[in-house]
């Protein structure tokens, strides 16, 4: 088609005007705009009533520094296990994959805002045969070749922001997936530290049981000697041997708990259950936290807790989805254009060919859908409310976690001081009673009671040390202490090398059944 020269400026101006209007309307959107919610939070920890209204954006931007808090326990083995867990844990790897999924989803949503351009090409050969005129002339009209090339372009103007809201929701979804990764890391580090502390606790308690049982066996031997000289009774010997056997019976249970804990620790590192047996068999003291944990103010949890940030990002994501659903109720305007060229020879496509083109807008208007689109908006609004309530619940849970962990750690320290004093007294009583019994100044019942009480007190003291360390871990988790370093979430686990077109057999495509009972199907595939 040939365009008259005089009409070309006019048509160009119309095209420019249409693009200008599209650009101006391109900034429009429907539905609510997201804003960070305002919550009533206590001004300080332990306050009975909310006193401060804050949002996630207005929260104190200097939360307590909790990076690598586990290093304050002073255990190099634990530090190494945490590093291995961050690198090898399968839940972390899964969270990374979901980040890549969310990133790809956002890229797809952003691409919907841009025009699309596709190319096409074809070739045909036809023969219309020959014709004879009234005068007897024969005209041959074929065969002949036709080559066609074309390009199609389309652009959805998104006048009411449906695609922009979808891209906004996808962006918030990417943020949410990154917070999920951070929350997975926080949980992982806390679990590794907790299981490690418990494993060292079981080791210490098993060693205590062995030492105590050995001492009790010595007491039983002394009692048997006294029986031979007539200064002790057979009842005393039976009681002494029974108490030693009872203490020894605790050792298998403690060893079993230790092994199960080490197995779980190895799984957290992404390794076989027995992978850490050699590392952990070298006994080490129960990690002991030193200084108090800085808690900051309650508003800090809005920034420091990844689960709270996750809930807030999901609330933002589903707020954007309302606008996406609302925009579907408005007209949808698109610009489409097409240009094509055809020739009898390939070389003529660029010079001696016929060219045709078309350009124009198209409009799609929802007229009647029996309330389906309105119901979609109502559904999106209900989802938004759900995630807002989830966000509020996440904030309250975070506050509760901090308060509970703080109280537990504080009270466990008080308990430990009393248990330590009690254990020292019982150890002294056991030593004195054993000395007096050897000299004949005390009964065996005093020795039996003192040794039993001393072992029980020492074992309870070790359990309290474990509780202090695990409460310390819980408090750091509650405050949002996680992995402060960077994590590579862009490298895939499996790298696909053969993505180019190639010939493949049925065995490699998975189309050929492997069930030996389906021999008939196998034969059909073979034919």
């Amino acid at each position: 088609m040939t365009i008259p020269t005089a009409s070309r400026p006019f048509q160009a101006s119309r095209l420019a005007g249409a693009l200008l209007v599209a650009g101006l309307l391109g900034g429009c959107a429907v539905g609510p705009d997201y804003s960070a919610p305002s919550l009533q939070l206590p001004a300080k920890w332990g306050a009975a009533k909310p006193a401060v209204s804050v949002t996630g954006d207005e929260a104190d931007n200097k939360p307590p520094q909790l990076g690598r808090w586990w290093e304050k326990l002073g255990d190099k083995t634990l530090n190494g296990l945490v590093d291995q867990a961050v690198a090898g844990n399968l839940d972390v790897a899964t969270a990374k994959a979901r980040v890549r999924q969310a990133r790809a989803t956002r890229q797809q949503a952003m691409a919907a805002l841009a025009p699309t351009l596709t190319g096409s090409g074809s070739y045909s050969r036809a023969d219309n045969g020959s014709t004879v005129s009234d005068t007897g002339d024969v005209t041959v009209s074929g065969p002949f070749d036709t080559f066609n090339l074309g390009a199609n372009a389309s652009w959805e103007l998104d006048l009411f922001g449906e695609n922009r809201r979808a891209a906004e929701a996808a962006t918030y979804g990417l943020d949410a997936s990154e917070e999920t990764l951070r929350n997975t890391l926080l949980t992982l580090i806390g679990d590794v530290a907790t299981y490690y502390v418990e494993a060292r606790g079981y080791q210490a308690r098993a060693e205590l049981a062995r030492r105590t049982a050995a001492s009790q066996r010595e007491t039983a031997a002394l009692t048997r000697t006294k029986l031979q000289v007539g200064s002790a009774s057979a009842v005393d010997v039976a009681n002494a041997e029974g108490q030693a056997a009872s203490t020894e019976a605790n050792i298998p249970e403690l060893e079993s708990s230790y092994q199960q804990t080490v197995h779980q620790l190895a799984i957290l590192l992404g390794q076989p259950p027995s992978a850490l047996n050699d590392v952990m068999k070298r006994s080490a003291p129960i990690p002991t936290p030193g200084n108090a944990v800085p808690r900051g103010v309650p508003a800090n949890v809005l920034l420091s807790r990844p689960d709270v940030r996750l809930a807030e990002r999901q609330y933002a994501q589903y707020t954007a989805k309302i606008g996406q659903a609302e925009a579907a109720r408005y007209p949808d305007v698109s610009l489409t254009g097409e240009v094509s060229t055809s020739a009898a020879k390939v070389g003529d496509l660029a010079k001696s060919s016929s060219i045709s083109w078309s350009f124009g807008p198209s409009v799609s208007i929802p007229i009647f859908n029996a309330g389906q689109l309105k119901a979609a908006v109502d559904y999106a609004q209900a989802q938004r409310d759900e995630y807002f309530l989830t966000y509020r619940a996440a904030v309250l849970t975070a506050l509760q976690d901090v308060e509970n962990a703080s109280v537990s750690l504080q009270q466990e320290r008080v308990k430990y001081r009393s248990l330590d004093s009690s254990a020292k007294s019982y150890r002294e009583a056991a030593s004195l009673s054993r000395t007096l019994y050897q000299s004949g100044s005390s009964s065996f019942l005093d020795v039996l009671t003192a040794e039993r009480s001393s072992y029980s007190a020492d074992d309870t003291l070790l359990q309290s040390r474990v509780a202090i360390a695990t409460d310390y871990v819980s408090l750091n988790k509650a405050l949002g202490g996680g992995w402060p370093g960077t994590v590579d979430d862009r490298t895939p686990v499996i790298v696909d090398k053969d993505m180019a077109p190639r010939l493949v057999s049925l065995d490699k495509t998975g189309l050929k059944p492997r069930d030996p009972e389906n021999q008939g199907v196998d034969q059909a595939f073979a034919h």
Side-chain angles (χ1 to χ4, degrees):
M1 176 182 292
T2 302
I3 303 176
T5 304
S7 67
R8 289 178 182 174
F10 173 71
Q11 295 205 13
S13 64
R14 286 196 301 177
L15 176 59
L19 294 176
L20 177 61
V21 172
L24 293 175
L25 293 178
C28 298
V30 296
D33 295 324
Y34 175 74
S35 61
S38 177
L39 299 176
Q40 294 288 329
L41 297 179
K44 60 181 181 179
W45 295 110
K49 296 181 180 179
V52 180
S53 178
V54 296
T55 66
D57 297 333
E58 299 171 351
D60 186 356
N61 58 4
K62 293 183 179 180
Q65 299 299 316
L66 302 173
R68 305 193 73 87
W69 52 265
W70 56 93
E71 293 183 350
K72 297 179 181 179
L73 292 172
D75 194 306
K76 294 183 179 180
T77 303
L78 172 60
N79 298 341
L81 292 178
V82 170
D83 293 339
Q84 293 179 53
V86 171
N89 181 261
L90 298 182
D91 290 336
V92 172
T94 301
K96 291 178 184 179
R98 288 171 180 163
V99 171
R100 293 195 293 274
Q101 294 174 32
R103 189 175 290 121
T105 299
R106 179 182 181 275
Q107 187 175 359
Q108 289 177 324
M110 296 296 292
L113 299 174
T116 61
L117 177 65
T118 58
S120 62
S122 65
Y123 163 76
S124 64
R125 183 176 179 84
D127 186 356
N128 294 333
S130 59
T131 58
V132 180
S133 64
D134 295 340
T135 60
D137 296 331
V138 178
T139 303
V140 179
S141 57
F144 57 88
D145 298 328
T146 303
F147 296 88
N148 291 286
L149 288 179
N152 298 281
S154 64
W155 183 22
E156 186 178 352
L157 299 184
D158 197 31
L159 298 184
F160 299 99
E162 181 177 3
N163 292 337
R164 280 191 301 281
R165 291 299 192 189
E168 180 185 354
T171 301
Y172 290 137
L174 175 59
D175 294 341
S177 67
E178 291 174 345
E179 296 302 339
T180 300
L181 173 58
R182 294 189 183 97
N183 192 51
T184 303
L185 287 167
L186 180 147
T187 303
L188 169 66
I189 295 171
D191 289 348
V192 169
T194 297
Y195 282 115
Y196 180 81
V197 169
E198 290 178 348
R200 293 308 187 193
Y202 288 128
Q203 274 185 326
R205 293 177 62 195
E207 182 59 30
L208 172 64
R210 292 188 188 95
R211 292 197 310 269
T212 303
S215 176
Q216 291 171 348
R217 286 296 180 187
E218 292 176 359
T219 302
L222 175 62
T223 306
R224 193 177 300 107
T225 301
K226 284 181 170 289
L227 174 63
Q228 293 174 356
V229 299
S231 59
S233 66
V235 174
D236 293 339
V237 175
N239 282 330
E241 292 179 346
Q243 179 166 268
S246 177
T247 303
E248 290 171 345
N250 293 327
I251 297 175
E253 180 181 357
L254 293 171
E255 289 290 350
S256 175
S257 298
Y258 163 76
Q259 286 294 337
Q260 293 177 25
T261 305
V262 172
H263 293 165
Q264 181 61 41
L265 194 56
I267 296 299
L268 291 176
L269 271 61
Q271 300 180 15
S274 301
L276 297 179
N277 287 352
D278 292 338
V279 175
M280 294 295 294
K281 72 179 181 181
R282 295 187 294 270
S283 182
I286 300 172
T288 302
N291 299 330
V293 180
R295 296 188 303 167
V297 296
N300 292 145
V301 300
L302 300 182
L303 295 177
S304 61
R305 289 267 299 225
D307 58 335
V308 173
R309 296 198 303 266
L310 166 62
E312 186 270 335
R313 292 288 87 183
Q314 288 178 327
Y315 169 47
Q317 178 183 10
Y318 282 86
T319 299
K321 286 181 178 290
I322 298 176
Q324 182 181 359
E326 179 67 19
R329 304 176 64 192
Y330 290 79
D332 184 11
V333 181
S334 299
L335 295 178
T336 59
E338 179 182 1
V339 60
S340 63
T341 177
S342 62
K345 298 180 179 179
V346 175
D348 293 339
L349 287 174
K351 50 183 180 178
S352 301
S353 61
S354 61
I355 300 176
S356 62
W357 63 270
S358 65
F359 171 80
S362 64
V363 181
S364 174
I365 303 175
I367 298 177
F368 176 75
N369 49 64
Q372 182 180 10
L373 299 180
K374 178 60 171 62
V377 175
D378 295 339
Y379 180 80
Q381 290 174 327
Q383 277 189 313
R384 183 268 319 274
D385 293 348
E386 174 189 352
Y387 281 96
F388 172 66
L389 296 174
T390 300
Y391 171 64
R392 290 183 58 188
V395 173
L396 293 178
T397 300
L399 298 178
Q400 180 189 22
D401 291 344
V402 175
E403 297 281 15
N404 288 349
S406 298
V407 171
S408 295
L409 180 58
Q410 179 183 1
Q411 296 302 319
E412 194 62 42
R413 290 184 186 275
V414 174
K415 176 183 176 181
Y416 179 81
R417 288 193 290 270
S418 298
L419 290 173
D420 186 43
S421 176
S422 172
K424 289 178 181 178
S425 298
Y426 278 124
R427 282 195 293 269
E428 184 179 359
S431 177
L432 291 174
S433 64
R434 193 176 297 110
T435 301
L436 293 174
Y437 177 65
Q438 290 174 349
S439 64
S441 302
S442 176
S443 67
F444 178 73
L445 181 60
D446 294 335
V447 177
L448 192 69
T449 302
E451 287 185 342
R452 183 187 300 117
S453 299
S454 178
Y455 170 65
S456 177
D458 284 337
D459 188 66
T460 305
L461 184 65
L462 290 175
Q463 294 181 56
S464 181
R465 288 184 59 188
V466 171
I468 289 175
T470 55
D471 287 342
Y472 171 82
V473 173
S474 297
L475 180 55
N476 279 280
K477 286 177 58 179
L479 290 169
W483 181 253
T486 59
V487 177
D488 180 15
D489 57 13
R490 293 183 177 273
T491 303
V493 179
I494 301 175
V495 179
D496 297 307
K497 298 180 180 179
D498 299 328
M499 296 293 289
R502 61 196 181 280
L503 295 176
V504 296
S505 64
L506 291 179
D507 292 338
K508 293 184 178 181
T509 60
L511 295 176
K512 186 176 181 179
R514 294 183 178 182
D515 188 352
E517 296 180 359
N518 295 333
Q519 296 180 358
V521 179
D522 289 344
Q523 294 175 1
F525 270 88
H527 289 302

